[in-house]
Amino acid sequence: MNTERSQLYYTCVFLHVSFQAIQNSVATSPRRDDTPCWLDAQTLRMLLSELQRCRQEAAPFNEVCQALDTAIYHCGLLMAQCPAALNRQLCQHHLEAIMAPLKEATSQLSGTANRASARRASSPSQRLRGWLGW
């Protein structure tokens, strides 16, 4: 993995873990599910800014750009309703919609997505040989 790709990979991991921490905080809040979600809008703004910077740096990687565009879109939707304009369940839904493409981008950058699709493309006998270690 070259330096540029490696740096993007770790930025995507950082963003995924950050949004995951926010989601865990929302999920473990003692408030009821129908109460407004009070996220820290400053933290979300900082993460959105980092997402946008990451997207600019990912320009050479088309699949990664598509995933980051999706994450940016959903983060923008969350920011438009935050804080306190949505309930915890909808907030968690938005956070999931941000984390899924970040996970996809991380997978694309690490090359695991390409290896997984290559394994799926192999014939049943090739998969069996691989499984048996032949």
Side-chain angles (χ1 to χ4, degrees), residues 98-128:
I98 295 166
M99 290 186 305
L102 283 171
K103 188 173 182 177
E104 180 184 331
T106 303
S107 178
Q108 290 288 339
L109 288 165
S110 70
T112 56
N114 294 336
R115 287 192 296 269
S117 65
R119 278 194 300 267
R120 282 191 302 269
S122 65
S123 71
S125 62
Q126 288 172 325
R127 288 192 302 265
L128 180 59

mmCIF file of all heavy atoms in Angstrom, residues 98-128:
data_model
loop_
_atom_site.group_PDB
_atom_site.id
_atom_site.type_symbol
_atom_site.label_atom_id
_atom_site.label_comp_id
_atom_site.label_asym_id
_atom_site.label_seq_id
_atom_site.Cartn_x
_atom_site.Cartn_y
_atom_site.Cartn_z
ATOM 1 N N ILE A 98 -23.710 6.810 7.620
ATOM 2 C CA ILE A 98 -22.386 7.432 7.454
ATOM 3 C C ILE A 98 -21.304 6.368 7.590
ATOM 4 O O ILE A 98 -20.350 6.323 6.803
ATOM 5 C CB ILE A 98 -22.169 8.547 8.499
ATOM 6 C CG1 ILE A 98 -23.151 9.695 8.272
ATOM 7 C CG2 ILE A 98 -20.724 9.054 8.463
ATOM 8 C CD1 ILE A 98 -23.235 10.676 9.439
ATOM 9 N N MET A 99 -21.458 5.476 8.567
ATOM 10 C CA MET A 99 -20.413 4.487 8.841
ATOM 11 C C MET A 99 -20.308 3.406 7.770
ATOM 12 O O MET A 99 -19.207 2.937 7.475
ATOM 13 C CB MET A 99 -20.642 3.843 10.211
ATOM 14 C CG MET A 99 -20.386 4.806 11.351
ATOM 15 S SD MET A 99 -20.467 4.042 12.975
ATOM 16 C CE MET A 99 -22.061 3.285 12.982
ATOM 17 N N ALA A 100 -21.420 3.006 7.180
ATOM 18 C CA ALA A 100 -21.376 1.931 6.170
ATOM 19 C C ALA A 100 -20.482 2.302 4.984
ATOM 20 O O ALA A 100 -19.606 1.505 4.610
ATOM 21 C CB ALA A 100 -22.789 1.574 5.716
ATOM 22 N N PRO A 101 -20.635 3.478 4.375
ATOM 23 C CA PRO A 101 -19.726 3.804 3.267
ATOM 24 C C PRO A 101 -18.285 4.047 3.730
ATOM 25 O O PRO A 101 -17.349 3.813 2.958
ATOM 26 C CB PRO A 101 -20.336 5.052 2.636
ATOM 27 C CG PRO A 101 -21.292 5.594 3.613
ATOM 28 C CD PRO A 101 -21.702 4.465 4.494
ATOM 29 N N LEU A 102 -18.097 4.485 4.966
ATOM 30 C CA LEU A 102 -16.730 4.618 5.479
ATOM 31 C C LEU A 102 -16.071 3.250 5.586
ATOM 32 O O LEU A 102 -14.890 3.095 5.263
ATOM 33 C CB LEU A 102 -16.728 5.324 6.838
ATOM 34 C CG LEU A 102 -16.908 6.829 6.796
ATOM 35 C CD1 LEU A 102 -17.110 7.386 8.198
ATOM 36 C CD2 LEU A 102 -15.721 7.492 6.119
ATOM 37 N N LYS A 103 -16.832 2.274 6.033
ATOM 38 C CA LYS A 103 -16.312 0.905 6.104
ATOM 39 C C LYS A 103 -15.986 0.393 4.699
ATOM 40 O O LYS A 103 -14.964 -0.261 4.475
ATOM 41 C CB LYS A 103 -17.327 -0.004 6.786
ATOM 42 C CG LYS A 103 -16.818 -1.380 7.067
ATOM 43 C CD LYS A 103 -17.806 -2.170 7.877
ATOM 44 C CE LYS A 103 -17.239 -3.542 8.193
ATOM 45 N NZ LYS A 103 -18.136 -4.314 9.045
ATOM 46 N N GLU A 104 -16.859 0.707 3.749
ATOM 47 C CA GLU A 104 -16.618 0.313 2.353
ATOM 48 C C GLU A 104 -15.347 0.976 1.816
ATOM 49 O O GLU A 104 -14.534 0.327 1.160
ATOM 50 C CB GLU A 104 -17.825 0.703 1.502
ATOM 51 C CG GLU A 104 -17.686 0.351 0.048
ATOM 52 C CD GLU A 104 -18.867 0.841 -0.781
ATOM 53 O OE1 GLU A 104 -19.987 0.950 -0.243
ATOM 54 O OE2 GLU A 104 -18.654 1.127 -1.967
ATOM 55 N N ALA A 105 -15.168 2.267 2.097
ATOM 56 C CA ALA A 105 -13.971 2.977 1.641
ATOM 57 C C ALA A 105 -12.717 2.362 2.252
ATOM 58 O O ALA A 105 -11.709 2.170 1.559
ATOM 59 C CB ALA A 105 -14.072 4.457 2.004
ATOM 60 N N THR A 106 -12.780 2.032 3.522
ATOM 61 C CA THR A 106 -11.646 1.395 4.200
ATOM 62 C C THR A 106 -11.321 0.061 3.541
ATOM 63 O O THR A 106 -10.154 -0.259 3.291
ATOM 64 C CB THR A 106 -11.975 1.194 5.691
ATOM 65 O OG1 THR A 106 -12.288 2.457 6.266
ATOM 66 C CG2 THR A 106 -10.821 0.579 6.432
ATOM 67 N N SER A 107 -12.351 -0.695 3.237
ATOM 68 C CA SER A 107 -12.169 -1.981 2.572
ATOM 69 C C SER A 107 -11.548 -1.801 1.184
ATOM 70 O O SER A 107 -10.644 -2.547 0.799
ATOM 71 C CB SER A 107 -13.516 -2.689 2.475
ATOM 72 O OG SER A 107 -13.389 -3.908 1.815
ATOM 73 N N GLN A 108 -12.020 -0.813 0.448
ATOM 74 C CA GLN A 108 -11.467 -0.531 -0.886
ATOM 75 C C GLN A 108 -9.989 -0.150 -0.785
ATOM 76 O O GLN A 108 -9.169 -0.599 -1.588
ATOM 77 C CB GLN A 108 -12.240 0.602 -1.562
ATOM 78 C CG GLN A 108 -13.642 0.262 -1.989
ATOM 79 C CD GLN A 108 -13.662 -0.661 -3.199
ATOM 80 O OE1 GLN A 108 -12.702 -0.758 -3.953
ATOM 81 N NE2 GLN A 108 -14.772 -1.344 -3.367
ATOM 82 N N LEU A 109 -9.660 0.692 0.177
ATOM 83 C CA LEU A 109 -8.278 1.155 0.316
ATOM 84 C C LEU A 109 -7.334 0.053 0.779
ATOM 85 O O LEU A 109 -6.166 0.030 0.396
ATOM 86 C CB LEU A 109 -8.221 2.339 1.284
ATOM 87 C CG LEU A 109 -8.793 3.637 0.733
ATOM 88 C CD1 LEU A 109 -9.039 4.635 1.855
ATOM 89 C CD2 LEU A 109 -7.888 4.217 -0.335
ATOM 90 N N SER A 110 -7.838 -0.872 1.585
ATOM 91 C CA SER A 110 -6.974 -1.947 2.080
ATOM 92 C C SER A 110 -6.810 -3.067 1.055
ATOM 93 O O SER A 110 -5.941 -3.906 1.189
ATOM 94 C CB SER A 110 -7.528 -2.526 3.380
ATOM 95 O OG SER A 110 -8.714 -3.245 3.126
ATOM 96 N N GLY A 111 -7.705 -3.078 0.062
ATOM 97 C CA GLY A 111 -7.648 -4.117 -0.952
ATOM 98 C C GLY A 111 -8.460 -5.342 -0.606
ATOM 99 O O GLY A 111 -8.540 -6.267 -1.407
ATOM 100 N N THR A 112 -9.080 -5.386 0.562
ATOM 101 C CA THR A 112 -9.857 -6.570 0.931
ATOM 102 C C THR A 112 -11.103 -6.708 0.070
ATOM 103 O O THR A 112 -11.557 -7.821 -0.162
ATOM 104 C CB THR A 112 -10.262 -6.555 2.422
ATOM 105 O OG1 THR A 112 -10.979 -5.355 2.687
ATOM 106 C CG2 THR A 112 -9.059 -6.662 3.323
ATOM 107 N N ALA A 113 -11.645 -5.601 -0.409
ATOM 108 C CA ALA A 113 -12.834 -5.680 -1.274
ATOM 109 C C ALA A 113 -12.476 -6.367 -2.588
ATOM 110 O O ALA A 113 -13.241 -7.178 -3.107
ATOM 111 C CB ALA A 113 -13.403 -4.292 -1.543
ATOM 112 N N ASN A 114 -11.296 -6.064 -3.120
ATOM 113 C CA ASN A 114 -10.867 -6.691 -4.371
ATOM 114 C C ASN A 114 -10.595 -8.183 -4.188
ATOM 115 O O ASN A 114 -10.936 -8.988 -5.033
ATOM 116 C CB ASN A 114 -9.616 -5.996 -4.913
ATOM 117 C CG ASN A 114 -9.891 -4.569 -5.322
ATOM 118 O OD1 ASN A 114 -11.025 -4.211 -5.629
ATOM 119 N ND2 ASN A 114 -8.864 -3.745 -5.301
ATOM 120 N N ARG A 115 -9.988 -8.546 -3.055
ATOM 121 C CA ARG A 115 -9.723 -9.962 -2.796
ATOM 122 C C ARG A 115 -11.020 -10.727 -2.596
ATOM 123 O O ARG A 115 -11.162 -11.847 -3.064
ATOM 124 C CB ARG A 115 -8.812 -10.117 -1.577
ATOM 125 C CG ARG A 115 -7.375 -9.714 -1.866
ATOM 126 C CD ARG A 115 -6.444 -10.145 -0.753
ATOM 127 N NE ARG A 115 -6.717 -9.505 0.517
ATOM 128 C CZ ARG A 115 -6.156 -8.381 0.932
ATOM 129 N NH1 ARG A 115 -5.293 -7.754 0.163
ATOM 130 N NH2 ARG A 115 -6.447 -7.886 2.114
ATOM 131 N N ALA A 116 -11.985 -10.115 -1.920
ATOM 132 C CA ALA A 116 -13.271 -10.782 -1.687
ATOM 133 C C ALA A 116 -14.011 -10.992 -2.994
ATOM 134 O O ALA A 116 -14.581 -12.061 -3.231
ATOM 135 C CB ALA A 116 -14.123 -9.959 -0.723
ATOM 136 N N SER A 117 -14.004 -9.998 -3.885
ATOM 137 C CA SER A 117 -14.694 -10.167 -5.164
ATOM 138 C C SER A 117 -13.966 -11.177 -6.039
ATOM 139 O O SER A 117 -14.590 -11.915 -6.790
ATOM 140 C CB SER A 117 -14.850 -8.825 -5.889
ATOM 141 O OG SER A 117 -13.601 -8.299 -6.240
ATOM 142 N N ALA A 118 -12.656 -11.256 -5.915
ATOM 143 C CA ALA A 118 -11.900 -12.251 -6.681
ATOM 144 C C ALA A 118 -12.237 -13.661 -6.192
ATOM 145 O O ALA A 118 -12.366 -14.586 -6.986
ATOM 146 C CB ALA A 118 -10.401 -11.998 -6.561
ATOM 147 N N ARG A 119 -12.398 -13.807 -4.884
ATOM 148 C CA ARG A 119 -12.771 -15.116 -4.346
ATOM 149 C C ARG A 119 -14.163 -15.514 -4.819
ATOM 150 O O ARG A 119 -14.415 -16.667 -5.128
ATOM 151 C CB ARG A 119 -12.731 -15.093 -2.818
ATOM 152 C CG ARG A 119 -11.342 -15.287 -2.258
ATOM 153 C CD ARG A 119 -11.401 -15.599 -0.781
ATOM 154 N NE ARG A 119 -12.018 -14.545 -0.009
ATOM 155 C CZ ARG A 119 -11.350 -13.556 0.573
ATOM 156 N NH1 ARG A 119 -10.048 -13.482 0.450
ATOM 157 N NH2 ARG A 119 -11.993 -12.644 1.266
ATOM 158 N N ARG A 120 -15.102 -14.564 -4.843
ATOM 159 C CA ARG A 120 -16.457 -14.868 -5.293
ATOM 160 C C ARG A 120 -16.473 -15.233 -6.772
ATOM 161 O O ARG A 120 -17.284 -16.024 -7.203
ATOM 162 C CB ARG A 120 -17.387 -13.673 -5.055
ATOM 163 C CG ARG A 120 -17.831 -13.539 -3.617
ATOM 164 C CD ARG A 120 -18.949 -12.529 -3.507
ATOM 165 N NE ARG A 120 -18.591 -11.225 -4.008
ATOM 166 C CZ ARG A 120 -18.075 -10.239 -3.307
ATOM 167 N NH1 ARG A 120 -17.830 -10.410 -2.041
ATOM 168 N NH2 ARG A 120 -17.791 -9.082 -3.859
ATOM 169 N N ALA A 121 -15.551 -14.656 -7.542
ATOM 170 C CA ALA A 121 -15.533 -14.895 -8.971
ATOM 171 C C ALA A 121 -14.929 -16.253 -9.321
ATOM 172 O O ALA A 121 -15.097 -16.740 -10.429
ATOM 173 C CB ALA A 121 -14.746 -13.795 -9.679
ATOM 174 N N SER A 122 -14.217 -16.875 -8.388
ATOM 175 C CA SER A 122 -13.591 -18.156 -8.689
ATOM 176 C C SER A 122 -14.645 -19.260 -8.757
ATOM 177 O O SER A 122 -15.736 -19.153 -8.226
ATOM 178 C CB SER A 122 -12.531 -18.483 -7.626
ATOM 179 O OG SER A 122 -13.142 -18.664 -6.384
ATOM 180 N N SER A 123 -14.269 -20.340 -9.414
ATOM 181 C CA SER A 123 -15.195 -21.457 -9.584
ATOM 182 C C SER A 123 -15.356 -22.211 -8.262
ATOM 183 O O SER A 123 -14.514 -22.107 -7.374
ATOM 184 C CB SER A 123 -14.666 -22.402 -10.659
ATOM 185 O OG SER A 123 -13.531 -23.085 -10.182
ATOM 186 N N PRO A 124 -16.413 -23.023 -8.151
ATOM 187 C CA PRO A 124 -16.605 -23.807 -6.914
ATOM 188 C C PRO A 124 -15.417 -24.716 -6.621
ATOM 189 O O PRO A 124 -15.026 -24.876 -5.467
ATOM 190 C CB PRO A 124 -17.870 -24.613 -7.193
ATOM 191 C CG PRO A 124 -18.626 -23.799 -8.191
ATOM 192 C CD PRO A 124 -17.568 -23.140 -9.035
ATOM 193 N N SER A 125 -14.824 -25.300 -7.672
ATOM 194 C CA SER A 125 -13.682 -26.182 -7.425
ATOM 195 C C SER A 125 -12.477 -25.393 -6.922
ATOM 196 O O SER A 125 -11.731 -25.881 -6.061
ATOM 197 C CB SER A 125 -13.320 -26.961 -8.692
ATOM 198 O OG SER A 125 -12.931 -26.089 -9.727
ATOM 199 N N GLN A 126 -12.293 -24.165 -7.418
ATOM 200 C CA GLN A 126 -11.184 -23.335 -6.937
ATOM 201 C C GLN A 126 -11.407 -22.952 -5.466
ATOM 202 O O GLN A 126 -10.463 -22.944 -4.674
ATOM 203 C CB GLN A 126 -11.045 -22.068 -7.785
ATOM 204 C CG GLN A 126 -10.493 -22.329 -9.175
ATOM 205 C CD GLN A 126 -10.565 -21.088 -10.038
ATOM 206 O OE1 GLN A 126 -11.492 -20.303 -9.931
ATOM 207 N NE2 GLN A 126 -9.588 -20.933 -10.917
ATOM 208 N N ARG A 127 -12.647 -22.653 -5.123
ATOM 209 C CA ARG A 127 -12.950 -22.311 -3.731
ATOM 210 C C ARG A 127 -12.717 -23.509 -2.826
ATOM 211 O O ARG A 127 -12.184 -23.379 -1.724
ATOM 212 C CB ARG A 127 -14.385 -21.802 -3.607
ATOM 213 C CG ARG A 127 -14.580 -20.407 -4.198
ATOM 214 C CD ARG A 127 -15.912 -19.811 -3.803
ATOM 215 N NE ARG A 127 -17.062 -20.615 -4.187
ATOM 216 C CZ ARG A 127 -17.761 -20.453 -5.302
ATOM 217 N NH1 ARG A 127 -17.440 -19.519 -6.155
ATOM 218 N NH2 ARG A 127 -18.797 -21.227 -5.557
ATOM 219 N N LEU A 128 -13.099 -24.707 -3.287
ATOM 220 C CA LEU A 128 -12.900 -25.917 -2.495
ATOM 221 C C LEU A 128 -11.413 -26.190 -2.303
ATOM 222 O O LEU A 128 -10.967 -26.497 -1.182
ATOM 223 C CB LEU A 128 -13.583 -27.117 -3.168
ATOM 224 C CG LEU A 128 -13.446 -28.457 -2.442
ATOM 225 C CD1 LEU A 128 -14.040 -28.358 -1.046
ATOM 226 C CD2 LEU A 128 -14.094 -29.557 -3.236
#
